[in-house]
Amino acid sequence: MNIVENITFSTEKANVFSIKKSDKIKYFAVALGKDAMLKKHTAPVPATLVVLKGEINFLIQGETINMKQFDVYEIPVNVEHEVVGVSEENLFSVAQEL
């Protein structure tokens, strides 16, 4: 399996690709084109975000966190956040502990 072969970098919306799902973990990749947005949402369980390619702005509680390739962020549970693509091609993974 190759993640990049299974996604597109759209400037209009996030493209999500499921890597693994079990009763203990949900692991997926999200691709964003430049200025594309993963709209406001919350994480109902502990989650770890890793930027694999490009650059994103992670917006949470009035703060913008600029993240680049290989940056890691622990997403807090039940806190509203959104993500915006900065580069032409942006790819990050999220692992949720179920």
Side-chain angles (χ1 to χ4, degrees), residues 15-54:
N15 188 287
V16 180
F17 175 72
S18 179
I19 298 170
K20 179 177 178 137
K21 187 173 183 179
S22 72
D23 58 344
K24 295 183 180 181
I25 190 167
K26 183 177 178 185
Y27 186 42
F28 56 94
V30 180
L32 297 170
K34 184 172 178 60
D35 298 324
M37 182 180 295
L38 182 58
K39 295 179 182 178
K40 285 184 182 178
H41 63 284
T42 60
V45 296
T48 303
L49 182 151
V50 180
V51 179
L52 302 173
K53 179 178 184 175

Side-chain angles (χ1 to χ4, degrees), residues 23-89:
D23 58 344
K24 295 183 180 181
I25 190 167
K26 183 177 178 185
Y27 186 42
F28 56 94
V30 180
L32 297 170
K34 184 172 178 60
D35 298 324
M37 182 180 295
L38 182 58
K39 295 179 182 178
K40 285 184 182 178
H41 63 284
T42 60
V45 296
T48 303
L49 182 151
V50 180
V51 179
L52 302 173
K53 179 178 184 175
E55 182 178 350
I56 60 172
N57 284 329
F58 189 89
L59 293 80
I60 186 166
Q61 296 181 320
E63 180 182 2
T64 299
I65 301 167
N66 180 262
M67 299 179 66
K68 296 183 170 126
Q69 188 173 22
F70 307 128
D71 283 347
V72 177
Y73 185 78
E74 295 294 327
I75 303 170
V77 175
N78 295 324
V79 177
E80 195 171 67
H81 58 276
E82 61 188 328
V83 183
V84 179
V86 175
S87 302
E88 293 298 319
E89 293 185 345

